[in-house]
Amino acid sequence: MFQMSKLYHNFHHTKNSVFSFVFLLPLILLLLLACNGFSVFYINLSVPAKTSPEPAKLLPEILPGDKPVKKLSSSSVMYAVKEENPSLNLKTHLSLIQKPNISMVSKPKKQPHRFRPQTLKALQLRTTKTTKGFTFSTKLRAFFQNSNCKLRFFMTWISSLHSLSHRELLVIESLFKSNPKACLVIVSTSLDSPKGNAVLKPFLNMGFNLITVSPDFDSIFKHTYAETWFNRLKTGNINPGEVSLGQNLSNLLRLVLLYKYGGVYIDTDVIVLKSFNNLSNVIGAQSMNIETKTWSRLNNAVLVFDKHHPLLYKFIQEFALTFDGNKWGHNGPYLVSRVVGRVTNRPGFNFTVLPPPAFYPVDWSRIRSLFREPNNRIQSDWLRRKLEQIRTQSYAVHLWNRQSKDVRVEEGSIVHHIISDCCIFCNISTSSL
């Protein structure tokens, strides 16, 4: 009987213990979960969190030609900052993160077209120093001081010496015929050579102020938006595009040259008819809107601006920020049109837009008409009126070489009369032009 009572008491005690354990089990589980959560929270906070810059400051300025960069979320900023020199604690923490599924990883994007030095060499526009230890800037300063010129003209020649024709030489003749006291700087590697100097020697023999100098882009573009753009081009962060890189370099080069030195830039297919002494801070309209009597497109084949003019600064800035190497004219005529359209009537800018007859008396689509002789009275009357208009209203005539370089100059044509007016040597057959 005593044994039975003892067994019953033990059974009752065990039962109470089991019920107590079952009752306390949820509390134990809750305590374990709380401890676990605290430990996870503590590990996350153990990552060094020194003063991190704002996300916007971590990303460089996005310029056209760059790959799009996604903005960083607040949770990923710390990793973006620390991945360059991760600490031991950070490595340990990152190892706890589950590796992404390989199927979710995006394919690598195509690398941008990288700049190659031989590209500039082929364009005869190498980044180089001039001869005898003189830099580009020191050579130009010495030339301007010694020449005592009243007006500075700039040209660029990005092709080989073999490509230089009688037409380009005629342009130089016309420039000195109308501006005999001017200085002319031709930025070109091919012409800054013994053979190039021999070709231009007749002008020097007549006492004209002429110099050829190879470009040093790093020096020319320094301290402008062009410097940033060119450095990005060299490091492969800008796609040169399908349009000739030499053409776009010429578009930029003319802007920086005028910004740093002031004067006149003209293309090598622009025949000069009058003195430019009275022109200051002007750009020419290529076309006009007949209804509104306002310009519809400007052109950069002729630019006349003072040193450090704010409009030139805006042109250079626009080139660097909106460069597109796949659109013809985007970095040239369309660029100056965009900028002038934005700054017109804004304070601080002082410039004049000249009407088309000033530099572009004939549009590119009709330039061939200036090379033909008249075949009847109607054509003769038109030629006489047009020639009179050019002689009275035009400072220069853009020949639009892209459309007219293979067109023969016919005797009696408008171009034939213009050549007779502006030539110096006048011993070249017009058919070679």
Side-chain angles (χ1 to χ4, degrees), residues 163-214:
S163 302
L164 191 74
S165 70
H166 293 303
R167 182 176 292 194
E168 287 76 35
L169 294 175
L170 173 66
V171 169
I172 299 176
E173 286 187 51
S174 69
L175 188 156
F176 285 122
K177 179 71 174 290
S178 301
N179 301 268
K181 300 298 182 181
C183 289
L184 173 60
V185 177
I186 304 178
V187 181
S188 169
T189 299
S190 60
L191 287 173
D192 186 16
S193 64
K195 290 184 178 180
N197 293 333
V199 172
L200 300 173
K201 188 176 180 180
F203 295 99
L204 299 175
N205 290 340
M206 295 193 68
F208 295 122
N209 298 311
L210 170 64
I211 188 176
T212 58
V213 55
S214 299

Side-chain angles (χ1 to χ4, degrees), residues 68-196:
V69 181
K70 296 182 180 180
K71 292 184 178 180
L72 300 176
S73 64
S74 58
S75 61
S76 61
V77 171
M78 180 169 57
Y79 303 118
V81 175
K82 297 297 182 180
E83 278 180 348
E84 294 180 359
N85 295 294
S87 63
L88 178 61
N89 290 338
L90 182 59
K91 288 182 179 179
T92 304
H93 179 65
L94 292 179
S95 65
L96 301 176
I97 302 176
Q98 184 178 1
K99 293 183 179 180
N101 190 333
I102 191 65
S103 62
M104 299 176 63
V105 178
S106 60
K107 295 181 179 179
K109 295 182 178 180
K110 186 178 180 181
Q111 293 297 322
H113 184 344
R114 292 195 172 274
F115 174 90
R116 293 184 176 87
Q118 56 266 34
T119 303
L120 284 186
K121 184 176 181 180
L123 292 169
Q124 301 297 320
L125 278 172
R126 294 189 299 271
T127 302
T128 181
K129 302 291 183 180
T130 56
T131 57
K132 298 181 180 179
F134 290 98
T135 65
F136 181 92
S137 58
T138 56
K139 191 172 183 180
L140 256 62
R141 282 198 298 268
F143 172 66
F144 291 141
Q145 291 174 359
N146 296 331
S147 301
N148 193 27
C149 48
K150 294 184 177 180
L151 192 59
R152 300 171 179 177
F153 281 83
F154 293 91
M155 290 181 180
T156 61
W157 183 251
I158 62 176
S159 302
S160 64
L161 183 60
H162 177 74
S163 302
L164 191 74
S165 70
H166 293 303
R167 182 176 292 194
E168 287 76 35
L169 294 175
L170 173 66
V171 169
I172 299 176
E173 286 187 51
S174 69
L175 188 156
F176 285 122
K177 179 71 174 290
S178 301
N179 301 268
K181 300 298 182 181
C183 289
L184 173 60
V185 177
I186 304 178
V187 181
S188 169
T189 299
S190 60
L191 287 173
D192 186 16
S193 64
K195 290 184 178 180

Side-chain angles (χ1 to χ4, degrees), residues 2-41:
F2 177 78
Q3 291 292 334
M4 292 294 293
S5 177
K6 186 177 182 180
L7 289 173
Y8 176 79
H9 181 269
N10 290 339
F11 174 76
H12 185 71
H13 179 73
T14 303
K15 180 181 177 181
N16 290 337
S17 299
V18 170
F19 280 122
S20 299
F21 177 79
V22 172
F23 178 78
L24 293 174
L25 181 60
L27 294 177
I28 295 173
L29 291 175
L30 287 175
L31 288 174
L32 290 174
L33 289 174
C35 291
N36 182 64
F38 178 79
S39 63
V40 173
F41 182 72

Side-chain angles (χ1 to χ4, degrees), residues 313-332:
Y313 178 89
K314 285 293 184 182
F315 287 158
I316 299 170
Q317 183 184 49
E318 179 78 4
F319 186 102
L321 297 179
T322 69
F323 176 81
D324 189 334
N326 293 312
K327 296 179 181 179
W328 188 92
H330 178 83
N331 313 299

